[in-house]
Amino acid sequence: MSIAVAIDGPVGAGKSTIAKECANRLGFIYVDTGAMYRGIGLYCVRNGIGTRDGAAVEDALSQIKIEITLQDGTQHIILNGADVSEEIRLPEISMAASDVSAIPAVRAFLLDLQRGFADNNNVIMDGRDIGTVVLPDAEVKIYLTAGDEIRAKRRYDELVAKGKVVKYEDVLADLRQRDYNDMHRETAPLKQAEDAVLADTSELDFDGSVTLIENIIKSKAGM
Ligand code: DC
């Protein structure tokens, strides 16, 4: 039987970097579901489709093919045959992804793809609704969070390290807006599943966070 680990939480909680490292250590496949919403957001931005226009985005879905491949253990996202793993990380695509993720047809469109990964693999899947909607029977559910100013500071430091010119206040405002959208939409809003373990990394560095999550997984999955 395969083991599924669901990790949900707000923007910038470190879900993807922590989940990826835990997956490496445990030999699990890591699946980043946010990248799929980003792929749809990117398609809409490129094609001039309003990301809040539910009917237009729903119409566009028939033109969109999202595939996930693993290359050297790293997830790549393929949009209509082209690798867009870099482009989906652009800051303007973050809000587009949050916008399209509120559209029920978009969520339904991605659900089978997401569930398919957990059918025959040990997975760590991260997102906003993994423990509540995508994998409600996951053996391990974690709600990963940290204070919003701490998350914004980490994100700001990452952007500055990449040579980006940004203001901390803008990063914080963007993060709060995206959290608000993700928590208040009608379909599959971000919330802690009743049976999820709360992991707050406000006081932890990266190594400490990975150790915390790894220990939760091992103890819940009986490894
Ligand atoms: O994790 P991320 O920042 O790459 O996700 C981008 C957006 O996609 C996020 O603002 C909300 C949405 N999302 C979602 O609604 N459900 C998921 N399971 C994953 C992401």
Side-chain angles (χ1 to χ4, degrees), residues 132-143:
T132 50
V133 175
V134 180
L135 304 176
D137 299 326
E139 284 71 19
V140 187
K141 296 184 187 180
I142 297 170
Y143 190 82

Side-chain angles (χ1 to χ4, degrees), residues 7-12 15-16 30 32-38 88-89 93-102 107 110 114 125-130 134 155 178-179 181-182 185 187-190:
I7 303 186
D8 293 299
V11 172
K15 296 186 300 293
S16 58
Y30 165 63
D32 168 7
T33 61
M36 302 173 191
Y37 291 96
R38 287 171 178 270
I88 57 161
R89 298 294 155 201
I93 302 305
S94 302
M95 201 60 85
S98 182
D99 285 347
V100 298
S101 74
R107 306 202 70 84
L110 293 175
Q114 294 168 350
M125 194 176 291
D126 84 20
R128 303 292 188 286
D129 62 336
I130 309 306
V134 180
R155 179 56 54 96
R178 210 141 64 85
D179 280 351
N181 293 351
D182 297 344
R185 63 177 179 231
T187 313
L190 168 64

Side-chain angles (χ1 to χ4, degrees), residues 3 6 19 28 34-35 85 99 103 136 145 152 166 171 183 190 196 200 203 211:
I3 298 172
F28 283 28
S85 309
D99 285 347
I103 301 167
T145 191
V166 282
V171 175
M183 288 172 180
L190 168 64
D200 188 322
E203 307 289 331
T211 304

